[in-house]
Amino acid sequence: MDKILVHGGPRLSGTVRISGSKNSALPILAATLLTKEECIIHRVPDLSDIHYMLQILAFMGCEVERASGTVIVRAEKLSTLAPYDIVRKMRASVCVMGPLLGREREATVSLPGGCVIGDRPIDLHLRGFEKLGAMVRVESGYVKLFANRLRGSVVPMRGKFGSTVLGTDNILMAAVLAEGVTIIEGAAAEPEVVDLANFLIAMGARIEGAGTDRIVVEGVSSLHGAEHRVIPDRIEAGTFLVAGAMAGDRVTVRRVEPSHLAAITKALSVAGFQISTESDAITVGRNGSLHPFNLTTAPYPGFPTDMQAQFCALATLCPGQSHIKDTIFPQRFMHVAELKRMGAEIDLPEVGRAVITGNGRLSAAPVMASDLRASAALVLAGLKAEGVTEINRVYHIDRGYEHLDDKLIGIGAQIERLKTGRP
Ligand code: EPU
C-alpha cells in the first residue's frame, strides 16, 4: 500500500494540464455497451476507477483496447452479469444497468456495498427502470432487471438531497433504446450528464434538454458506434486551484472549461483570492488578505460536494470562522478528524456542518486517507503544514486523480511516494 510524503513549505507556481473527467468517462464507457459497433473515447484519464470499469466491460465480453488516453470498445457479444467481485470495487459500476437493460432488456448487477461518504441508495435508479416497464428484483445482493418491452414514460429523478447524477445517467441510457418518449423530470444538470448525452447523440440517440432539469428522450431502435472526447475534470481543476490558493504564488489550470468551475472560482474570490480566466484556463493568485467564507453544497451549478473537503482544508488558512455545510452527503466529513490531527480547529456541531476557525497553523502528522476527496484535502493541507505529512492509504487518490503527485511536483511541490509492497 503506497504512502505519500508531502513536504510542507515550497511555494507552488506554474501550469497544470487537467485530465479528462472521471465522472464523465465512467458512464460514457458504460454507454459503449449500447451498440455492437466500435466506440472510440479520447481523453480517458488513467485512474484505477477507469481500470475497474474497463475490467467490467471486458468481463461482459467486450473487446477493449487502450493506448495513451484513448479507449476503444467493441461490445459485439454481451453477457448481462456484473458480479460482486468487480462491482464492489467501484460504486459507479451501477451505471452498467441502464445500457444493459436498454440493449439486452435484462441485467444482473451486484449491489456495490457500503460507501465511506455515507448512505448511497439507488432507489431512484430502480424506480426509474420500473417506470420504463422493467421488472426489478433485489436478490442475494444482486439487482435483477428484466423487461419484455421498454416503454417511454415520465421518470422523476429528484430525491430528498437533490437529483441523482448516476441515476439520471442510468435512465438516459435505458431510455435511448425504449419505445416512445421518456421525460426525465428533476434530471441532474451536471456537465458530466451533458457529456454523456452528447456521446449518446453521437451514437444516434435523440435527446433534448440535457443540462436542464427536464430531459426528453425519443427512443430509437438501435445505436451505432461513435467517437468522443471526454470533457475536462472540473473537480481535478478545482483541487489544483485550491492547491494554488493555499500554497501558491500563481497557479494556472489549463485545458479546462471555466464555466463548469464558476461556483468554485466564486468561492475562491470570496475567500480573497484573485482569479483570472481565459477561454480554456484559470489562474489563481493572492489578492491581499484572506477572509472566512460560508459554503453549502448543492447540485450543479451550485457548489460541488466533491470540493467540500478541499475547501475545509483551505478554510484552516482563512482567519475567522468559515461554515461549510454538505447537504448532498452530510456524512462526508471523515477528513475533519485527520485535519484536526494536523492542528486545524474544526467543530462538527451537527451532522453535515463544519465550523472551521482559520488559525493558519498546520503541522505535519501521519494521517489516513478515507476517500478520494478527503485524501486530496490531506495532500493540500500537507503542502502548507510545517514538516513532512505522511498520508497512508493513497489508493483512494489514485482512484480519481491522474498522477496527482507528479502534477504537483511539476509546479514546485516536494512529494515522495513510498511503495511499501503490502496490499
Ligand atoms: N440518492 C438517493 N437515491 C438514489 C440515488 C441518490 O437518495 O437512488 C441521493 C444520494 O444519497 C445523495 C444524492 O442523492 O444524497 C446525490 O447522489 P447522486 O446519486 O447524485 O450521486 P452519484 O451519482 O452516485 C455522483 C458522483 C460523485 C458525486 C455525486 C454528487 C460519479 C461516478 N460519482 O455520484 O462523485 O459526489 O454524483 O455530485 O459520477 C467523487 O467523484 O468523489 C464522487 C463521489
Side-chain angles (χ1 to χ4, degrees):
M1 212 184 282
D2 292 4
K3 282 180 189 184
I4 282 183
L5 302 183
V6 183
H7 295 252
R11 302 289 301 163
L12 309 184
S13 75
T15 299
V16 180
R17 283 160 69 83
I18 296 304
S19 303
S21 160
K22 164 179 86 79
N23 290 348
S24 266
L26 290 169
I28 285 172
L29 288 170
T32 63
L33 294 170
L34 283 162
T35 177
K36 291 182 175 180
E37 295 181 19
E38 180 175 278
C39 292
I40 304 175
I41 318 295
H42 300 289
R43 210 178 178 185
V44 177
D46 182 14
L47 305 169
S48 47
D49 270 11
I50 296 290
H51 180 70
Y52 297 139
M53 180 56 84
L54 298 182
Q55 267 186 351
I56 294 177
L57 298 184
F59 180 90
M60 288 178 172
C62 301
E63 284 174 47
V64 177
E65 289 169 48
R66 182 178 192 176
S68 66
T70 294
V71 172
I72 302 175
V73 183
R74 268 177 302 271
E76 210 173 332
K77 289 193 215 96
L78 216 53
S79 133
T80 54
L81 171 71
Y84 178 65
D85 263 0
I86 311 183
V87 172
R88 73 183 166 83
K89 295 181 184 161
M90 184 188 56
R91 208 187 162 278
S93 34
V94 296
C95 67
V96 299
M97 287 180 194
L100 287 177
L101 184 63
R103 175 167 154 188
E104 299 292 324
R105 301 296 195 245
E106 65 171 52
T108 302
V109 178
S110 170
L111 282 164
C115 178
V116 74
I117 69 178
D119 186 24
R120 295 182 73 182
I122 56 163
D123 54 312
L124 294 167
H125 306 224
L126 301 186
R127 259 186 273 146
F129 293 137
E130 280 174 342
K131 285 265 180 195
L132 295 177
M135 282 189 19
V136 177
R137 274 187 300 153
V138 179
E139 252 178 39
S140 315
Y142 280 79
V143 174
K144 296 188 176 179
L145 305 171
F146 172 79
N148 279 322
R149 293 172 70 187
L150 280 185
R151 264 175 283 207
S153 179
V154 176
V155 181
M157 277 289 114
R158 195 176 284 119
K160 61 180 176 192
F161 299 119
S163 302
T164 158
V165 177
L166 289 177
T168 302
D169 291 345
N170 249 335
I171 299 308
L172 200 49
M173 290 188 279
V176 287
L177 290 180
E179 294 166 32
V181 174
T182 298
I183 298 174
I184 307 179
E185 298 276 14
E190 269 65 8
E192 294 76 18
V193 175
V194 179
D195 203 24
L196 170 67
N198 285 337
F199 175 56
L200 294 170
I201 290 167
M203 295 172 84
R206 299 208 184 115
I207 300 169
E208 276 177 22
T212 73
D213 65 356
R214 187 171 189 272
I215 302 180
V216 181
V217 184
E218 195 189 327
V220 294
S221 56
S222 67
L223 295 176
H224 50 75
E227 192 164 353
H228 183 80
R229 180 172 299 275
V230 173
I231 58 167
D233 196 312
R234 62 194 167 102
I235 305 301
E236 186 201 11
T239 303
F240 279 103
L241 287 176
V242 176
M246 288 181 72
D249 294 323
R250 273 177 76 76
V251 168
T252 300
V253 289
R254 203 161 274 289
R255 297 209 310 182
V256 297
E257 174 45 62
S259 65
H260 294 170
L261 282 109
I264 297 167
T265 48
K266 183 171 168 219
L268 285 168
S269 303
V270 169
F273 296 95
Q274 194 171 31
I275 298 290
S276 50
T277 302
E278 295 163 55
S279 61
D280 76 335
I282 304 173
T283 299
V284 63
R286 206 49 189 265
N287 190 19
S289 57
L290 300 184
H291 315 292
F293 51 84
N294 296 339
L295 283 176
T296 300
T297 65
Y300 188 83
F303 184 83
T305 169
D306 292 343
M307 286 300 298
Q308 178 263 106
Q310 300 88 317
F311 270 74
C312 280
L314 176 69
T316 65
L317 304 184
C318 300
Q321 269 194 351
S322 294
H323 297 253
I324 299 186
K325 214 169 159 182
D326 198 330
T327 52
I328 295 176
F329 294 118
Q331 316 280 348
R332 195 181 204 178
F333 282 96
M334 303 288 279
H335 43 283
V336 165
E338 302 299 299
L339 288 172
K340 284 168 85 164
R341 301 190 63 249
M342 298 176 71
E345 280 180 53
I346 309 181
D347 283 329
L348 293 171
E350 59 189 304
V351 176
R353 187 161 71 91
V355 180
I356 302 122
T357 306
N359 60 18
R361 288 190 308 270
L362 289 173
S363 54
V367 286
M368 196 79 89
S370 56
D371 76 83
L372 172 58
R373 310 302 172 188
S375 327
L378 298 177
V379 173
L380 297 175
L383 294 170
K384 202 61 193 166
E386 212 177 298
V388 183
T389 299
E390 178 184 308
I391 302 171
N392 292 283
R393 298 196 181 163
V394 298
Y395 56 84
H396 289 293
I397 296 179
D398 299 331
R399 292 186 51 189
Y401 287 96
E402 190 175 50
H403 313 308
L404 180 79
D405 28 351
D406 291 338
K407 287 186 179 184
L408 281 169
I409 291 167
I411 53 172
Q414 230 183 306
I415 298 182
E416 295 163 72
R417 187 179 276 248
L418 300 185
K419 303 230 174 247
T420 60
R422 276 184 286 120

